[in-house]
Amino acid sequence: MPKHRKTTEVRKPQAAPGSADSNLPSKEAVMAFLAEAKGKVGKREIARAFGIGGGQRIWLKRMLRELEDEGHVSRRGKRLARAEVLPPVVLADIIGRDRDGELLAEPVEWNAEDHGEAPQILLQMPRRPRPGQKPPGVGDRAVVRVEESGEDEGPPYLGRVIKVIEKAKSQVLGIFRSMAGGGGRLVAVDKRSLGRELSIAPEDTAEAEDGDLVAVSVARHGRFGAPSAKVRERLGSIRSERAISLIAIHTHGIPDTFSPGALREAELAQPVSLRGREDWRDLPLVTIDPVDAKDHDDAVHAAPDDDPDNPGGFVLTVAIADVAHYVTPGSALDKDALQRGNSVYFPDRVVPMLPERISNDLCSLKPHEDRPALAVRIIIDAQGRKKRHTFHRILMRSAAKLAYQQAQAAIDGHAEPDDPAAVLLEPVLRPLWAAYGTLAKAREQRGPLALELPERKLVLKQDGTIDRIVTPPRLDAHRLIEEFMILANVCAAEALEATHSPLIYRVHDEPSLEKMRALGEVLGSIGLKLPKAGALQPALFNRILAAVEETEHNAFVNEVVLRTQAQAEYSAENYGHFGLNLRRYAHFTSPIRRYADLVVHRALIKAGRLGADGLPASTTPEQLAEVSALISAAERRAMAAERETIERLIAHHLADRIGATFSGQISGVTKAGLFVKLDETGADGFIPAATLGADYFRYEEGRHALVGSRTGETHRLGDRVEVRLLEAAPVAGALRFELLSEGRRGAALRGKQRGFKEKRGKTGTKAPRERSAGTKTLNAGKVKSTWHPAED
């Protein structure tokens, strides 16, 4: 806390206005308590602090709901806090200085749509910086510990820099276009800069050639004409193979080269021996992965439990590559991995978290080769409920490397006799599928969020351009591996909590009140009414999805429900996983590609006394909070880079189809115009409002629509449309359309709201049968996928 702000003792308040009991606190008293309280605070802690018990708890629950509705209180799982309060540790960008010369920062991750402008943090500089710590400056990114300032004026937060991240390069990326007579111009790669160009003098081209991707610094801005720039670095030709992903790598500052120290450690690494490990090489574990996977970090096995006290139960084994053996805390490999946070997957390349010597060789669970692993053995009953689990450090030997399609074909009876999957069908695959059927019962009982979102895959040609875009079928083989991994992740979190070990959780908050209100408005626009009563659970969203499953709004509503969800993240503090409907969850199953999993592995090794290379004894929750902030930001960076690369590739793919017509759906509505998602490719494009017709279209936010002032013609979120492609900007990944279909008019707009229908099609007050992954026959091929950002 700041020195000028003292922590005050909570006192019994005066009677709350309108309350029948003089002991009940006022809203102001509860807000003051939340502001002063440290640690986790929920309804139970508030009740204890104010001596509230019995029937008064109902009053307290109602009052807290009112505070939340009024926007004064935010909720993270069962934790309550004053609304819009930053977590104790954030990743922040240093944006400038105040009038006194003090540094100001803003959080990197801030939902401006929900909470408005990002709050500023006044950085307090230590008198004596830690040895070797780089002093922060404007433009730097830093991990900052924050607390409220308690002042009415000035920045609402005070911050202390824990660690300075390397300053991003002050440069602009673009495509160099040569001009007659020398020099050239820069075509920006950023959508926000679309249409703006920088001029480059002949002496400032650094011998760049037409079509080169270059990094430039802005030299000066004249009063007339385009700003001028100077080429600092040539990054490669845009015409060459794999150039598109190169744009995203450099735009987002993704590290794509390893340090010499990390490469040296990787080359010196040697295969492990049996020393200090259990020998599980006779257990026929198998890996089941995408057909083009190069690293295999998880293997599975299942067998009926022979315990007479567990009839119909199974013994499950999930073995995960023992990356912690090779990547030790503080090593060069560890520092590089933390900086990357995760592997980044582009259609044409992978930027791995670890060098290939580690990820694709020594740690990859290759068939018929000895590999170190950290395994969890899980006992489940006939209803798929976990009875107990144990962790082991082992030496294993995978019996086979199978692709999802290969394993599924064997189960469906379509495998060739000499296929490894056919050979392993009876001893390995059938027990796995039987165990999965049992786990599906527990999953249906739990009721996780079940979204049906087709995943498109880009198939590339040799030159790195798109050959075709496909939507691979969702197989039971995919779901089987996901369920095994989810269960293993739960076991990891439970094991570490039981030993009071610090860990990094994978958390997912429930949707905010603002997003739920917006969802209600969207559903109202298609005649559905969102229930307002009851606790917020994934089951509510599953009922929404079931109501539209066989309607024209199915894909649209699935997309809107996804947008309603909060972003999953990593945290040293647990507030549960809303989407999976789990109280505790930690990533354990992908240490080759995610740093969070590596930390959890180290914690399990230390907690289970499985070796000397576990989490250092000096590790604190505060340190893990810093790591969580870093890797959460790295995850968002990777997602943005992957998304933008796909957009650029699709725009390049459609560039020679100018004038072609497409079917799609309105995926976004703003004052400026309409966003349309195409059915064929999933590409998003824009239609400016000024091009919609002779009428003046006003934006009605509540209806998510543009409405003609004279005609009443309406273009609404989710409407089916026909569009013509007018422009494709491959470098920026932007598409511009012309709307060909007419909007809704008159009676077509007047719809009576209805509740969720039963599957039989009759309207009633009873909620429909809940839908979640696995509610249909396992081999039916139409089961919805359980949405979870855990293994996305």
Side-chain angles (χ1 to χ4, degrees):
M1 302 295 292
K3 290 183 179 180
H4 60 269
R5 183 183 178 193
K6 296 181 180 179
T7 302
T8 57
E9 183 179 334
V10 176
R11 300 176 180 176
K12 287 285 184 178
Q14 298 297 318
S19 67
D21 194 320
S22 60
N23 291 326
L24 296 179
S26 64
K27 290 182 179 179
E28 291 75 15
V30 172
M31 291 289 292
F33 174 72
L34 290 174
E36 297 289 348
K38 295 182 178 180
K40 300 179 182 179
V41 178
K43 185 175 66 176
R44 180 184 302 175
E45 286 74 21
I46 296 174
R48 186 183 298 121
F50 291 97
I52 298 174
Q56 295 175 338
R57 289 179 178 268
I58 299 176
W59 175 89
L60 176 61
K61 181 178 181 181
R62 185 183 306 117
M63 191 259 279
L64 292 175
R65 175 59 68 180
E66 289 176 0
L67 285 172
E68 193 175 354
D69 290 345
E70 293 165 2
H72 299 309
V73 169
S74 64
R75 183 186 300 271
R76 271 193 162 190
K78 293 185 178 180
R79 180 190 174 200
L80 298 169
R82 279 177 41 185
E84 304 175 21
V85 172
L86 291 177
V89 178
V90 299
L91 191 66
D93 286 331
I94 301 176
I95 58 172
R97 296 181 182 272
D98 65 6
R99 281 180 285 184
D100 297 325
E102 300 292 338
L103 291 173
L104 296 172
E106 288 184 353
V108 173
E109 297 298 330
W110 179 261
N111 192 331
E113 183 180 340
D114 287 350
H115 302 307
E117 190 174 339
Q120 289 192 342
I121 305 165
L122 178 64
L123 297 182
Q124 298 177 311
M125 295 296 103
R127 293 182 180 178
R128 295 182 180 178
R130 286 185 293 180
Q133 178 172 303
K134 172 180 175 285
V138 176
D140 280 343
R141 178 165 288 185
V143 181
V144 179
R145 190 178 304 282
V146 299
E147 57 189 16
E148 293 182 71
S149 68
E151 300 290 338
D152 294 332
E153 297 182 359
Y157 289 95
L158 300 176
R160 178 174 61 84
V161 174
I162 299 172
K163 182 178 181 181
V164 177
I165 311 300
E166 185 178 357
K167 183 181 292 186
K169 294 179 181 179
S170 178
Q171 60 185 16
V172 176
L173 290 182
I175 307 301
F176 178 79
R177 295 301 182 190
S178 59
M179 300 178 66
R185 57 190 176 87
L186 187 83
V187 180
V189 300
D190 190 347
K191 283 184 180 179
R192 292 169 296 184
S193 302
L194 198 60
R196 288 184 287 172
E197 296 182 349
L198 297 171
S199 63
I200 301 173
E203 63 273 17
D204 292 331
T205 64
E207 300 183 356
E209 298 179 358
D210 188 77
D212 278 355
L213 175 65
V214 296
V216 306
S217 59
V218 179
R220 62 183 181 275
H221 291 272
R223 294 183 60 187
F224 305 101
S228 61
K230 184 176 183 178
V231 175
R232 294 295 184 186
E233 185 179 4
R234 294 174 61 190
L235 303 174
S237 174
I238 195 66
R239 294 185 295 270
S240 66
E241 185 179 354
R242 308 197 312 168
I244 297 296
S245 58
L246 198 63
I247 296 176
I249 289 171
H250 285 274
T251 299
H252 292 277
I254 295 173
D256 62 339
T257 57
F258 289 101
S259 66
L263 293 174
R264 184 167 54 252
E265 289 178 1
E267 287 304 315
L268 292 175
Q270 297 296 320
V272 303
S273 66
L274 188 56
R275 185 179 178 182
R277 298 178 181 275
E278 299 177 45
D279 190 349
W280 286 19
R281 287 176 290 183
D282 289 336
L283 187 69
L285 290 150
V286 296
T287 62
I288 306 178
D289 290 298
V291 68
D292 55 354
K294 293 182 179 179
D295 53 61
H296 308 278
D297 53 9
D298 58 87
V300 293
H301 180 268
D305 190 0
D306 56 8
D307 185 349
D309 293 332
N310 189 28
F314 285 87
V315 179
L316 313 181
T317 303
V318 178
I320 306 299
D322 191 356
V323 177
H325 172 80
Y326 293 102
V327 185
T328 55
S331 64
L333 280 170
D334 182 50
K335 292 175 182 177
D336 277 26
L338 176 57
Q339 183 186 24
R340 295 177 179 226
N342 47 251
S343 298
V344 186
Y345 294 86
F346 297 105
D348 61 346
R349 73 171 77 189
V350 176
V351 179
M353 186 180 78
L354 299 168
E356 289 190 5
R357 167 73 172 155
I358 302 295
S359 61
N360 293 2
D361 185 8
L362 293 175
C363 283
S364 185
L365 306 181
K366 296 182 177 181
H368 313 302
E369 295 188 23
D370 291 356
R371 286 292 182 267
L374 190 60
V376 56
R377 182 162 279 168
I378 310 165
I379 311 298
I380 62 172
D381 63 18
Q383 299 304 312
R385 295 185 294 259
K386 180 172 68 68
K387 295 173 68 69
R388 59 187 179 276
H389 65 269
T390 54
F391 281 89
H392 309 260
R393 212 166 189 189
I394 68 169
L395 190 68
M396 60 161 285
R397 185 179 292 162
S398 171
K401 178 185 72 173
L402 304 178
Y404 289 117
Q405 295 82 356
Q406 188 180 9
Q408 189 69 57
I411 284 292
D412 294 340
H414 303 314
E416 296 296 329
D418 59 345
D419 190 312
V423 176
L424 295 171
L425 177 60
E426 295 302 328
V428 176
L429 294 184
R430 288 209 189 280
L432 279 172
W433 253 256
Y436 166 58
T438 305
L439 287 177
K441 299 176 186 177
R443 179 189 55 212
E444 183 176 357
Q445 184 69 29
R446 190 177 83 242
L449 183 58
L451 283 168
E452 190 174 8
L453 298 167
E455 294 186 14
R456 293 178 173 85
K457 182 176 181 180
L458 276 56
V459 180
L460 304 184
K461 302 175 185 176
Q462 285 295 109
D463 62 358
T465 59
I466 295 178
D467 180 33
R468 62 190 186 279
I469 301 172
V470 298
T471 305
R474 184 118 170 104
L475 306 174
D476 286 335
H478 294 101
R479 302 184 189 95
L480 181 152
I481 294 299
E482 287 178 356
E483 287 305 313
F484 273 63
M485 298 304 112
I486 289 172
L487 183 57
N489 288 334
V490 170
C491 291
E494 290 183 354
L496 292 174
E497 279 196 353
T499 58
H500 306 288
S501 171
L503 74 148
I504 291 178
Y505 292 92
R506 180 65 168 180
V507 291
H508 177 229
D509 206 357
E510 64 183 30
S512 66
L513 183 65
E514 293 86 351
K515 287 189 175 182
M516 289 302 297
R517 286 172 175 162
L519 175 63
E521 292 171 353
V522 173
L523 293 177
S525 72
I526 60 173
L528 286 174
K529 189 174 182 180
L530 182 67
K532 295 182 179 179
L536 195 56
Q537 296 289 339
L540 168 65
F541 296 101
N542 292 341
R543 289 197 294 272
I544 295 171
L545 299 173
V548 299
E549 183 178 15
E550 297 176 3
T551 72
E552 63 175 324
H553 304 298
N554 183 44
F556 156 64
V557 172
N558 270 268
E559 184 71 29
V560 171
V561 169
L562 176 63
R563 294 182 187 182
T564 302
Q565 306 308 310
Q567 174 69 55
E569 62 183 354
Y570 294 106
S571 172
E573 178 186 341
N574 183 30
Y575 54 87
H577 199 296
F578 178 80
L580 290 175
N581 203 12
L582 292 169
R583 293 181 181 178
R584 55 191 62 83
Y585 195 69
H587 272 172
F588 157 73
T589 54
S590 296
I592 289 177
R593 65 182 179 92
R594 294 187 304 220
Y595 192 83
D597 304 54
L598 176 57
V599 173
V600 170
H601 273 236
R602 290 171 178 166
L604 288 167
I605 291 167
K606 179 179 182 295
R609 299 180 179 178
L610 300 175
D613 48 0
L615 200 65
S618 58
T619 304
T620 64
E622 289 75 20
Q623 290 173 330
L624 292 185
E626 298 166 18
V627 173
S628 298
L630 287 171
I631 59 180
S632 292
E635 180 184 43
R636 285 160 174 74
R637 176 183 68 187
M639 292 170 61
E642 292 166 359
R643 182 183 64 251
E644 290 172 12
T645 298
I646 291 173
E647 289 174 349
R648 290 187 175 105
L649 283 168
I650 292 179
H652 189 276
H653 179 61
L654 296 177
D656 59 354
R657 299 182 65 182
I658 302 297
T661 60
F662 302 89
S663 297
Q665 194 166 30
I666 296 177
S667 58
V669 182
T670 69
K671 293 179 181 178
L674 307 173
F675 290 92
V676 174
K677 181 182 289 291
L678 302 184
D679 296 335
E680 180 183 336
T681 61
D684 285 297
F686 187 64
I687 304 174
T691 67
L692 290 178
D695 205 347
Y696 172 77
F697 285 84
R698 66 181 184 277
Y699 175 54
E700 295 192 5
E701 185 176 5
R703 295 172 63 186
H704 293 264
L706 289 176
V707 182
S709 298
R710 179 173 52 83
T711 63
E713 182 179 358
T714 300
H715 301 287
R716 191 177 61 186
L717 187 68
D719 283 352
R720 302 290 309 169
V721 293
E722 294 288 325
V723 297
R724 177 183 290 118
L725 179 61
L726 296 183
E727 181 183 0
V731 173
L735 302 172
R736 185 165 64 88
F737 299 132
E738 174 190 12
L739 186 64
L740 300 180
S741 50
E742 293 186 355
R744 300 166 180 258
R745 294 176 183 270
L749 298 175
R750 295 191 293 271
K752 184 178 180 181
Q753 280 197 339
R754 54 187 174 86
F756 300 139
K757 289 186 177 181
E758 293 286 336
K759 189 169 181 63
R760 296 183 299 273
K762 297 179 181 179
T763 304
T765 57
K766 185 179 178 181
R769 179 170 61 89
E770 242 179 72
R771 292 292 183 90
S772 65
T775 57
K776 298 183 180 180
T777 306
L778 291 179
N779 289 318
K782 196 184 175 184
V783 187
K784 285 186 178 180
S785 63
T786 304
W787 176 83
H788 53 88
E791 305 296 337
D792 46 3

